[in-house]
Amino acid sequence: MSPTETTTAAFREGASNKQTEKPFPTDGTGLITIDPWLEPFAEDLRQRYAQYQKWVKAIEEHENGYDKFTRGFEIYGLNVQPNGDVVYREWAPNVKDASLIGEFNGWNRMKHPMTRNAFGVWEVTVPALPNGSPAIPHGERIDRLPAWIKRVTQDLSVSPTYDAIFWNPPEKYQWKHKQPKKPESLRVYEAHVGISSIDGRVAQYDEFTANVLPRIKELGYNTIQLMAIMEHAYYASFGYQVTNFFSASSRYGQPEGLKRLIDTAHGMGLYVLLDVVHSHACKNVLDGLNMFDGTDHCYFHEGGKGRHDLWDSRLFNYGHWEVLRFLLSNLRFWIEEYRFDGFRFDGVTSMLYVHHGIGTGFSGGYHEYFGSTVDNEAVVYLMLANDMLHKLYPNIITVAEDVSGMPGLCRPVSEGGVGFDYRLAMAIPDMWIKLLKEKKDDDWDMANICWILINRRHMEKNIAYAESHDQALVGDKTLAFWLMDAEMYTNMSTLSPLTPVIDRGLLTHGLGGEGYLNFEGNEFGHPEWLDFPRVGNNNSFHYARRQWNVVDDQLLRYKYLNEFDKAMQHLEEEWGWLNSHQAYISLKHESDKIIVFERGNLLWIFNFHPTSSFPDYKIGTEWAGEYRVVLNTDSKRFNGHGRIDESTTYFTSPEPWNNRKNSLMVYIPCRVALLLAHK
């Protein structure tokens, strides 16, 4: 979920990554040693870091540190004790009277009254039955959904409001696989469980495990990013109107199904990230956090400050002790209970700024990242979250969805950064859509394409992508549609002749970042957009599914796009360019439409010209010696024309070219990318 404006921040490369003789600053200004342009904002960095340190000290003094403070899910909500008693605790400071009611006590408000402590925490113990089993049976409903409830269900035939369920299965899920090794290069497959069937219905966790996980593994991705897992009342919100933060969505099955999915993924060597929504919450009262204790400021800011005008949702008060406990414990819960390996934080731009990015563009001026427009409480919360996660779980991965380009977002907290490992390179998909919408192939600007792809902050990792779920959602054409248009329905058969439109290719992920992301189905050019059932489409599931049948059909060309994506991911696994230094671009030729760069010990050559092929095209390279073809987009394997002899060995000559020490000659046909490996 992103603001209305998506503009890229200017790239300003700071000092080189050389160690200085001066001791590294410990006051939050370490970022300045990497980026001297931040010097005028040193005091802002110090103040922000001091706020972070204040919270860390308070948590240490009053809660004995992160470990205890972030285990709120073991204290709050419904928890079974070793003797079978069920203890229920809830923070609701403005409530005058509270009782625990449900099917287990006949909904009688007098049977289990709660008592309040000095901090506004209510508590009641439901004694175990004589046989030692909990008096609240597994699967029973409870009134007024607890904030920390771990299972909720919805029966739309009765009401859209959720019911709270006491989830305490007699047999606990038995994990089979350990966490896999942390990926050095991040290749992310973004997926939504509910749309993962070819049928017009909500798919289940177990179906995803059986049918989609093997596809992801075969393609060569090493990380899955699961969307819309945190329970949300409205299916069409894509999971962004969260009502129950500790509940895995019941639409897709039982919690054990999600555990089995993650366990199976780990057995395949795949990391699993959760799309976590801490930027806002659903405004529902009956089954959400809104008005939880009868006021509008229990978990949220009161008045306008606590409401997001664009998303029609509530905004957290990140400066409150119990809100911090709730959110930090929420992160911990998804790791401890479901064994997620990391998080993609949604809506980070909205959190960082008091204007939430609404109607605001970012020019790259550093003044935009400091001062009165920044929500320092939210920034400090993100610092605490990243600090806690990386200290307790050294192999964790955190990703920020931020369009603003805030300096230090992906630098360690100890330097004064916010602590994320990666940010999404959100300007890249915007560029591709704009080119396809507004420019003919002949008018593509090679220099501008390269600039957008490398325009990222020095020493801060980016995840590049051409299309995520945002671009696939209804309201615009997908990239596949922009490339193929009506021919998607008429010329995708292998029995029909190739056309120039179908023969187009997309830029690979060699230049755009230190990670790569693909949304489910885009690997084979999914033929239609994504649209969830809603009033506007007569509650149809037709577009809320993935048409795996088209890529499995051997008579359709979708299989070739899938094969290319597979080759790309496996080649990255072999050569690891995402984990290498940023590329050196030696050529951006506007009239020839040629781009050449070196990265990951590979020589990358792109010809974007729609009609001109070039025999004996001179290419500069720093590396002398012998080269061989490792990827050719014109290969028959990808339904190309087969114009390049892939058995050819290329030899350099010691003739400098394009500011490189050596050069070689290649045949580069139109609309073809060629990757040469240096021996």
Side-chain angles (χ1 to χ4, degrees):
M1 187 172 294
S2 57
T4 51
E5 295 285 341
T6 53
T7 55
T8 183
F11 174 79
R12 293 181 177 177
E13 185 167 326
S16 64
N17 188 24
K18 294 180 180 178
Q19 296 294 324
T20 61
E21 294 182 3
K22 295 191 302 181
F24 198 81
T26 58
D27 61 351
T29 60
L31 291 176
I32 298 173
T33 65
I34 298 170
D35 185 355
W37 290 88
L38 288 168
E39 182 65 47
F41 307 98
E43 188 56 34
D44 294 87
L45 292 171
R46 289 190 189 95
Q47 290 179 9
R48 186 172 79 185
Y49 193 71
Q51 289 182 43
Y52 149 77
Q53 287 183 311
K54 183 179 177 180
W55 274 110
V56 172
K57 182 179 179 181
I59 291 171
E60 186 67 42
E61 289 180 354
H62 301 291
E63 302 278 353
N64 293 319
Y66 281 139
D67 186 47
K68 181 182 176 184
F69 186 60
T70 58
R71 289 187 178 274
F73 51 88
E74 297 177 349
I75 305 298
Y76 291 83
L78 293 152
N79 287 286
V80 180
Q81 306 305 301
N83 65 354
D85 290 353
V86 177
V87 177
Y88 174 50
R89 294 188 185 92
E90 200 75 75
W91 175 64
N94 292 289
V95 165
K96 303 301 181 186
D97 184 67
S99 298
L100 178 62
I101 62 173
E103 292 173 326
F104 74 100
N105 64 7
W107 308 100
N108 189 327
R109 298 179 182 275
M110 306 303 294
K111 284 191 175 182
H112 294 93
M114 302 178 71
T115 58
R116 182 188 188 278
N117 70 12
F119 301 101
V121 177
W122 294 82
E123 179 178 334
V124 64
T125 298
V126 182
L129 297 174
N131 63 4
S133 62
I136 306 177
H138 166 65
E140 283 216 355
R141 293 180 298 160
I142 296 170
D143 197 31
R144 185 57 174 101
L145 279 65
W148 301 71
I149 193 68
K150 300 180 179 69
R151 173 74 170 168
V152 297
T153 59
Q154 182 187 51
D155 185 352
L156 289 174
S157 66
V158 177
S159 168
T161 303
Y162 278 94
D163 290 321
I165 305 296
F166 178 63
W167 198 253
N168 184 37
E171 294 185 10
K172 308 300 182 185
Y173 181 81
Q174 298 299 311
W175 295 88
K176 300 177 180 64
H177 304 286
K178 294 181 179 180
Q179 182 187 46
K181 181 183 177 183
K182 182 179 180 179
E184 294 182 355
S185 294
L186 205 62
R187 301 185 300 276
V188 183
Y189 193 91
E190 185 183 48
H192 184 291
V193 171
I195 69 167
S196 297
S197 169
I198 62 172
D199 304 321
R201 57 179 176 80
V202 178
Q204 302 294 289
Y205 293 123
D206 286 339
E207 291 178 292
F208 188 94
T209 301
N211 302 328
V212 184
L213 283 185
R215 294 179 185 271
I216 298 171
K217 177 63 177 176
E218 184 183 6
L219 283 167
Y221 290 89
N222 56 25
T223 303
I224 305 169
Q225 180 179 296
L226 289 180
M227 318 296 289
I229 294 296
M230 301 169 76
E231 193 59 275
H232 47 291
Y234 185 40
Y235 188 46
S237 73
F238 208 87
Y240 292 124
Q241 292 284 337
V242 175
T243 49
N244 313 102
F245 285 76
F246 291 83
S247 300
S249 182
S250 59
R251 289 182 178 86
Y252 321 130
Q254 296 184 351
E256 289 69 31
L258 177 57
K259 292 178 181 180
R260 191 159 37 249
L261 188 163
I262 295 170
D263 197 12
T264 305
H266 284 170
M268 295 178 172
L270 301 171
Y271 249 47
V272 186
L273 308 183
L274 173 70
D275 184 41
V276 68
V277 185
H278 282 184
S279 49
H280 65 133
C282 180
K283 70 175 184 179
N284 285 14
V285 173
L286 293 179
D287 53 7
L289 292 178
N290 195 16
M291 306 289 289
F292 190 76
D293 67 349
T295 71
D296 73 340
H297 57 269
C298 185
Y299 284 93
F300 312 110
H301 288 292
E302 61 183 333
K305 187 177 181 182
R307 288 169 171 78
H308 196 292
D309 294 335
L310 188 64
W311 298 340
D312 193 26
S313 54
R314 298 305 312 273
L315 300 175
F316 286 105
N317 180 356
Y318 302 106
H320 196 287
W321 186 270
E322 291 299 334
V323 176
L324 281 183
R325 186 199 305 275
F326 181 84
L327 294 175
L328 293 175
S329 295
N330 186 233
L331 297 172
R332 191 90 189 270
F333 169 79
W334 289 106
I335 299 171
E336 293 289 333
E337 184 70 18
Y338 289 97
R339 301 197 180 181
F340 277 97
D341 304 298
F343 302 97
R344 177 246 195 211
F345 282 72
D346 177 72
V348 169
T349 305
S350 175
M351 298 174 70
L352 296 176
Y353 306 97
V354 294
H355 52 63
H356 309 302
I358 300 175
T360 303
F362 293 92
S363 66
Y366 278 31
H367 65 283
E368 296 171 338
Y369 306 122
F370 301 96
S372 60
T373 60
V374 176
D375 188 335
N376 283 308
E377 288 183 343
V379 174
V380 170
Y381 161 66
L382 292 172
M383 293 171 71
L384 291 167
N386 278 297
D387 187 45
M388 178 272 291
L389 288 170
H390 287 91
K391 284 180 177 174
L392 296 180
Y393 307 99
N395 293 322
I396 202 81
I397 291 176
T398 60
V399 181
E401 187 210 31
D402 170 50
V403 70
S404 73
M406 174 175 274
L409 189 69
C410 299
R411 294 302 302 171
V413 174
S414 60
E415 296 177 2
V418 183
F420 286 100
D421 297 299
Y422 298 86
R423 62 153 47 94
L424 294 176
M426 300 179 71
I428 294 176
D430 292 345
M431 174 196 70
W432 288 121
I433 291 292
K434 187 178 178 68
L435 280 174
L436 294 170
K437 274 185 178 181
E438 301 175 5
K439 301 282 187 180
K440 295 186 298 183
D441 291 15
D442 309 70
D443 298 328
W444 282 22
D445 186 331
M446 299 294 102
N448 184 65
I449 290 173
C450 291
W451 167 246
I452 297 297
L453 289 171
I454 66 170
N455 178 20
R456 53 190 185 271
R457 292 196 53 77
H458 183 53
M459 295 178 66
E460 297 195 39
K461 294 181 180 180
N462 279 232
I463 295 177
Y465 59 102
E467 190 171 22
S468 72
H469 70 275
D470 282 327
Q471 287 72 41
L473 285 167
V474 71
D476 201 352
K477 294 180 181 180
T478 62
L479 279 179
F481 250 121
W482 281 110
L483 285 166
M484 306 173 194
D485 208 48
E487 298 196 30
M488 179 176 284
Y489 298 112
T490 60
N491 284 77
M492 288 303 284
S493 170
T494 57
L495 304 178
S496 63
L498 279 171
T499 72
V501 177
I502 293 298
D503 201 34
R504 295 184 187 188
L506 296 176
L507 182 65
T508 186
H509 52 30
L511 205 56
E514 292 71 35
Y516 177 78
L517 178 143
N518 166 71
F519 178 63
E520 182 177 10
N522 290 349
E523 68 273 12
F524 61 85
H526 195 274
E528 290 171 325
W529 56 85
L530 177 62
D531 189 14
F532 287 87
R534 54 189 174 83
V535 174
N537 65 12
N538 294 317
N539 292 311
S540 171
F541 278 86
H542 180 74
Y543 297 109
R545 60 194 179 109
R546 296 286 89 176
Q547 297 182 45
W548 306 110
N549 54 299
V550 301
V551 69
D552 293 338
D553 191 329
Q554 294 304 300
L555 293 178
L556 295 179
R557 290 197 173 109
Y558 295 99
K559 65 179 181 180
Y560 296 116
L561 294 171
N562 192 75
E563 188 64 25
F564 173 72
D565 195 89
K566 176 181 175 181
M568 190 166 58
Q569 309 311 327
H570 283 277
L571 194 65
E572 200 289 324
E573 175 68 20
E574 180 182 355
W575 292 92
W577 62 76
L578 291 172
N579 194 39
S580 65
H581 295 297
Q582 186 163 309
Y584 181 88
I585 305 173
S586 61
L587 180 63
K588 297 167 283 188
H589 200 294
E590 295 301 339
S591 58
D592 292 349
K593 302 300 178 191
I594 299 285
I595 295 174
V596 179
F597 61 89
E598 299 156 17
R599 192 181 186 193
N601 216 33
L602 296 173
L603 184 59
W604 306 65
I605 307 165
F606 291 85
N607 181 0
F608 285 102
H609 204 288
T611 56
S612 294
S613 298
F614 303 102
D616 296 327
Y617 200 89
K618 197 170 189 178
I619 301 295
T621 177
E622 194 69 10
W623 313 314
E626 185 179 327
Y627 288 79
R628 62 183 175 87
V629 176
V630 293
L631 186 66
N632 163 31
T633 64
D634 197 44
S635 170
K636 293 283 189 179
R637 176 185 172 192
F638 311 130
N639 202 33
H641 296 288
R643 291 168 287 182
I644 294 176
D645 181 359
E646 296 183 19
S647 66
T648 300
T649 299
Y650 302 85
F651 296 92
T652 63
S653 63
E655 182 180 348
W657 193 255
N658 291 331
N659 295 315
R660 309 313 275 161
K661 294 178 182 178
N662 306 280
S663 58
L664 52 81
M665 309 295 284
V666 299
Y667 169 45
I668 183 71
C670 60
R671 287 183 174 148
V672 166
L674 191 62
L675 270 67
L676 304 181
H678 177 236
K679 272 194 164 183

